[in-house]
Amino acid sequence: MSRRRGPRAPIRLNALDRAIGFFAPQRAVLRGAARFVLSAASGYAGARRDRSATKGWAAKAGASADYETLPDLDILRARSRDLVRNDPLARSAVTTKVVNVIGPGHVLRPEVDADRLGLTPELAEEWEALALDIWTDWAWSTDCDITRHQTFAELEDLVYRSRLQSGDCFVVRRFKTRKGRLLATALQVIEADRLSNPNWAADTETLAGGVEMDADGAPIAYHFADRYALDRHGAGAPTWTRVPAYDANGRKLVLHIHGPRERPDMTRYVPMLAPVIEGLKQRSRYTEAELMAAVVSAIFAIATKSEDGDLSEALARLATSKGAATADKSEITLTEPGLVYDLMPGEEVQNFAPNRPNPQFGSFIDAVAREVGAGTDLPFELLVKQFQASYSASRAAMEMAWQFFRADRELHVSQFCAPVYEDVITEAVARGLLKAPGLLTNPLRRQAWLGAAWMGPARPTIDPVKDATADEKYLDMGVTSLTRVAAERFGTDYRTVRRRRALDGTDEREASRAPAPAQGPAEESAQQSDDDKTDGNDQEKPDAD
């Protein structure tokens, strides 16, 4: 049994088809037939070319990621930053992610592979403690920043925030010897705008977006301009510096910080707000219009009609009397509530009912906010900082957000934190501050020496008591550890907590307040037997006659 297709829309001729039909009618017929066949052969509605909803779709088949991304990056970055500066919802999206992914900065815990290195637990713990001391001395000082403005935790915030607003960010490893410092490693953070082709040359197969690549598409160098394109305080035209991607030992010299790679052969990355820029701007304009309409409605009280009245002149005189130097009759601002104005001759107000504030304003804005949240991987409740739904719905939103935060945190650690820790420990070993045989020569032993755990902000929670009960049950089941619970719930290292509890005497005080252990059946039976003996011995003997 054959299935008949529905009627197709007629093939419409464009200007080129009509021109060809005028000079070569047969050629025009063939073109129209071919177009009809292509339209009829489409099995997906989204691929149809004869529907009004899709025929104007400008998506290009066969375009690479760079072809679709690089030409729009400048304007996307500029609009993204403008929204973050001026739009509360855009700023909330960026700030919420920064707070939950970076927070006050990641806490480091070195974890060497003692078995592979042949170390005893005592020696491994001693090495880890010294490595942590060296890292802390470096990371807690502003000397880790080439500009001496920020600590490592503050650099984390800057790098991640810049990545969200600009799409990507770059960190160059520098060496700067400074008096009183153990190490010379320093970091230079460079914003995405300064990475570009020298003299803004066109992209090629081996140079795109300022990234120089080999035949396999791997980066081999980055070209950084010494200033931004719109800066005018510098002398002369901008100059570019070519920075190798790797140093002589094969270690990364430039860290490219970006979001997940969505397509192969992708060189540069778009801001987080790119999919929702238009919606955010339209929402902002609508909010401003509604706010202005409400203000005007509140100010405008009543208008009167008179033969010699001139509203524009009266308002101009009023504006001048309020302190303005001049007042333009074509641009009048209402600044005082409850004013009464004269109208022009022949004019009158009919049924003045502004209906402001708009009763549908809140629900419409919330609907737009939900779309923004979906486009930025943020639940609506976290985006607008309101938890008015049920407990289960709010908890589901928090759990979903945590999945996104955890994935972003892992990406940030692998791209930024771990490579920087590797550079710091490598320099410490090279200077003799740490002994790590094989770290500089053997890749496997290097990996064993550089093991580390990074603990970020605590996991968001709605009911801490219920979460603590669940953690206790998981510990009893043996499916988690105190180290993981301390890291997720409090963002700290359990070894530090245990050491602090020992110093504070917390464990001893809890042990002294603990109730006596419950008696088992055997102990209860023995106790009962002793009681019986005691009772028998305590009985009074009868008096002897």
Side-chain angles (χ1 to χ4, degrees), residues 167-289:
D168 50 15
C169 181
F170 299 87
V171 180
V172 179
R173 172 161 49 89
R174 300 274 301 275
F175 287 95
K176 190 76 172 181
T177 302
R178 287 173 172 140
K179 186 177 181 180
R181 304 305 307 165
L182 293 175
L183 306 176
T185 298
L187 305 177
Q188 179 181 4
V189 180
I190 303 178
E191 203 166 21
D193 306 62
R194 289 176 55 188
L195 182 71
S196 59
N197 296 344
N199 300 311
W200 296 289
D203 295 326
T204 65
E205 293 183 358
T206 58
L207 180 63
V211 182
E212 184 179 341
M213 298 165 285
D214 60 15
D216 298 323
I220 57 177
Y222 297 86
H223 296 264
F224 295 104
D226 63 342
R227 66 178 68 95
Y228 293 86
L230 296 183
D231 283 354
R232 291 291 183 264
H233 59 269
T239 59
W240 279 260
T241 301
R242 182 182 184 272
V243 181
Y246 298 87
D247 62 12
N249 297 318
R251 293 189 295 118
K252 282 188 176 182
L253 194 60
V254 179
L255 303 179
H256 188 179
I257 315 300
H258 55 78
R261 198 173 195 185
E262 299 178 352
R263 293 184 60 184
D265 303 326
M266 194 170 188
T267 306
R268 302 296 301 273
Y269 298 80
V270 299
M272 178 191 67
L273 298 178
V276 295
I277 283 179
E278 183 178 2
L280 281 170
K281 189 60 178 178
Q282 297 286 38
R283 187 203 67 88
S284 179
R285 289 174 175 172
Y286 173 66
T287 302
E288 292 177 3

